[in-house]
Amino acid sequence: MTNSANSMWGGRFEGGVDAIMEAINASIGFDKRLYAQDIAGSRAHAAMLAAQGIITPEDHKAIDAGLEQVKAEIEAGTFTFSTALEDIHMNIEARLKELIGEPAGRLHTARSRNDQVAVDFRLWVRDQCDAAIAGIDALMRAFLAQAEAGADWVMPGFTHLQTAQPVTWGHHMMAYVEMLSRDRSRFVDARARMNECPLGAAALAGTSFPIDRHMTAAALGFDRPTANSLDSTADRDFALEFLGAASICAMHLSRFAEELVIWSSAQFRFVRLSDAFTTGSSIMPQKRNPDAAELLRAKLGRILGATVALFTVMKGLALTYSKDMQEDKEQVFDAADNLMLGLAAMTGMVRDMTANREALAKAAASGFSTATDLADWLVRTLNLPFREAHHVTGFLVALAEKKGCDLPELTLAEMQTGHPGITQDVYSVLGVDNSVRSRVSYGGTAPDQVRAQIARWKERMA
Ligand code: ARG
């Protein structure tokens, strides 16, 4: 089955395309999301054409008013999208022709869908960078508030998910502020790099019309026009960079998501997630499932999947535009939607969660978490080489383990079986509060250090 020849490019075609061809070729099902960017790009282009005397002021007026009406129709839901018209660019132009007639055909002067889609998509991805930055800011503030509330609450710090050393809740929260700030800066950098306007590159080689690319670039909020027309139509780095930044950010979200899953379990009870961000079980009434956290742990799968997909599409493509590149949009749309949703959900969870200070403190004190403090005391007070102090401490940990107690519960006599020089003073470093308070090195877990970092970030984010 074939349809009649396409009204946009069918001049040299006798027959129409096969229905299957239409189905595989069309992008309107998803690129309709670019309608606002497409209309903004067209309006900037038309204004420039008129300013340069390439179209008449009357035609420009008709085109501009027509485009505004098309936009209103799309936003009102009265616009009929047609698969036969392939994509958002041709759907809009065809409707413009219905509305204003002949001048509509002049809009595409000195332009191609290749630079048109490049500018539309850049504008869309640029907006998503801004949305990601705003979402990250909100999440950073939520972590900062948690850090401030519990700057000196002790909890176990882990390596290998084994109790390592006591740390502070505030310190752990601030670790995510650092990660997120790097995520934020990646979006800021990507945005700055992508902020060049490809419009006017035309099909690939530029145009013989006396266009003003600086004018359209400025009108669309770009810093400057792109400098090479071939690169302009072939480039999708901006989308790849967005996906790369989104992947790293989603990876960070997945790590806190995993911690929330562990921490909210009945075995840990470090945090209680709010009712707003948990679900019950239809069969087990005791359950509070951290579903949002689990989904956030999973989201990186699809965001990284989109990244790999687009890299694979772009790999080995000869310059300039190839239709392969139409496969860019769904991946980026899906990744962006899920990143924004993930950031919002994580912000809600972090804002609403309550740390169980007692459970944190209790866990901090178990698992021989102050063994390093004991070794450090032996170095500082008895001048033992660290390796020997490590050995003595290991012996005492084994002794405590045998007795089924923690390090501070060993008697002084028992301590002295490890080293005769140990005195009563050793107990001062075996408490978790003293332990964290002693870690005053820059960036360390001591509450004063944590408070200094909180203050620095609050000032930076004010
Ligand atoms: N729908 C196309 C895309 O998304 C627009 C560009 C089409 N250009 C072309 N020469 N067929 O990539």
Side-chain angles (χ1 to χ4, degrees):
M1 192 192 90
T2 55
N3 304 307
S4 56
N6 187 293
S7 60
M8 294 286 138
W9 45 252
R12 60 168 289 220
F13 289 79
E14 280 167 18
V17 299
D18 191 277
I20 302 288
M21 176 57 196
E22 187 175 297
I24 193 170
N25 201 37
S27 54
I28 188 63
F30 47 88
D31 70 11
K32 58 169 83 134
R33 276 186 83 163
L34 299 177
Y35 81 89
Q37 288 76 12
D38 194 72
I39 288 170
S42 288
R43 292 179 82 173
H45 183 66
M48 181 278 292
L49 292 176
Q52 295 298 100
I54 301 167
I55 62 171
T56 63
E58 296 71 47
D59 285 348
H60 172 225
K61 236 180 113 181
I63 290 170
D64 205 58
L67 286 170
E68 203 173 305
Q69 184 172 340
V70 173
K71 189 172 182 199
E73 288 177 3
I74 294 175
E75 283 170 358
T78 57
F79 189 97
T80 318
F81 292 100
S82 147
T83 317
L85 288 164
E86 257 183 71
D87 56 26
I88 187 64
H89 324 296
M90 296 200 291
N91 267 269
I92 288 175
E93 196 185 316
R95 178 64 184 144
L96 186 66
K97 178 131 189 272
E98 280 173 12
L99 291 170
I100 66 166
E102 193 248 20
R106 301 188 185 278
L107 171 61
H108 215 52
T109 315
R111 186 177 77 169
S112 150
R113 275 189 295 154
N114 296 348
D115 60 338
Q116 196 178 350
V117 73
V119 76
D120 292 3
F121 199 28
R122 255 186 219 237
L123 287 169
W124 195 89
V125 174
R126 191 178 73 181
D127 284 349
Q128 296 303 305
C129 287
D130 292 336
I133 290 164
I136 289 170
D137 279 345
L139 181 52
M140 285 174 76
R141 284 179 211 286
F143 273 116
L144 264 171
Q146 284 287 348
E148 216 175 1
D152 58 357
W153 300 353
V154 288
M155 66 179 283
F158 299 95
T159 63
H160 315 268
L161 199 56
Q162 307 285 316
T163 301
Q165 293 173 354
V167 296
T168 47
W169 171 260
H171 199 46
H172 200 110
M173 296 298 108
M174 292 306 288
Y176 283 96
V177 170
E178 294 291 333
M179 288 180 246
L180 288 164
S181 79
R182 291 194 296 275
D183 292 331
R184 185 185 196 283
S185 72
R186 271 182 278 274
F187 286 110
V188 170
D189 287 352
R191 189 196 194 285
R193 216 168 357 261
M194 76 179 67
N195 206 30
E196 293 186 346
C197 186
L199 190 60
L204 75 164
T207 174
S208 56
F209 289 98
I211 60 171
D212 182 352
R213 293 193 57 210
H214 293 273
M215 180 178 167
T216 42
L220 295 168
F222 288 105
D223 295 330
R224 64 192 81 83
T226 51
N228 181 299
S229 63
L230 302 176
D231 177 46
S232 309
T233 51
D235 172 43
R236 291 294 180 272
D237 290 4
F238 59 94
L240 291 168
E241 278 200 62
F242 174 80
L243 290 173
S247 295
I248 298 176
C249 183
M251 176 274 288
H252 288 148
L253 298 184
S254 81
R255 295 184 75 168
F256 193 63
E258 168 69 350
E259 296 196 317
L260 285 180
V261 170
I262 296 171
W263 291 357
S264 64
S265 69
Q267 288 70 24
F268 271 74
R269 294 178 180 282
F270 283 7
V271 293
R272 185 179 168 86
L273 297 173
S274 70
D275 289 354
F277 286 96
T278 39
T279 58
S281 158
S282 52
I283 176 167
M284 296 164 286
Q286 85 281 14
K287 296 266 275 202
R288 289 170 63 80
N289 294 329
D291 291 40
E294 293 166 81
L295 287 161
L296 270 162
R297 192 169 54 181
K299 287 294 183 194
L300 173 63
R302 62 200 291 171
I303 294 176
L304 185 60
T307 310
V308 173
L310 186 54
F311 267 102
T312 313
V313 165
M314 296 308 293
K315 178 199 169 288
L317 278 190
L319 304 189
T320 52
Y321 177 86
S322 295
K323 193 71 172 221
D324 309 50
M325 288 160 69
Q326 180 165 286
E327 291 286 315
D328 56 1
K329 285 174 262 322
E330 285 165 291
Q331 302 295 341
V332 177
F333 290 163
D334 187 71
D337 291 345
N338 281 284
L339 180 71
M340 304 317 155
L341 183 60
L343 283 167
M346 189 59 98
T347 302
M349 275 194 289
V350 173
R351 190 193 51 217
D352 290 5
M353 72 185 179
T354 26
N356 182 342
R357 197 177 169 178
E358 291 69 42
L360 290 170
K362 201 166 157 230
S366 68
F368 312 111
S369 65
T370 53
T372 317
D373 297 275
L374 172 55
D376 288 350
W377 185 90
L378 293 168
V379 170
R380 234 182 0 253
T381 318
L382 304 182
N383 200 26
L384 297 191
F386 183 78
R387 283 294 157 218
E388 195 184 329
H390 186 282
H391 191 79
V392 171
T393 306
F395 170 85
L396 291 173
V397 165
L399 183 64
E401 209 165 26
K402 231 173 286 153
K403 277 191 64 187
C405 69
D406 267 304
L407 279 176
E409 284 138 40
L410 291 176
T411 65
L412 184 58
E414 285 165 338
M415 286 279 184
Q416 285 166 345
T417 63
H419 193 286
I422 295 178
T423 63
Q424 188 65 32
D425 180 61
V426 77
Y427 291 99
S428 69
V429 301
L430 297 182
V432 288
D433 283 301
N434 286 337
S435 168
V436 296
R437 236 176 284 135
S438 73
R439 297 225 151 60
V440 291
S441 52
Y442 181 82
T445 202
D448 285 350
Q449 281 296 325
V450 173
R451 287 197 186 94
Q453 293 298 335
I454 294 171
R456 182 173 71 87
W457 274 110
K458 281 180 80 174
E459 203 180 300
R460 253 182 92 166
M461 296 193 63

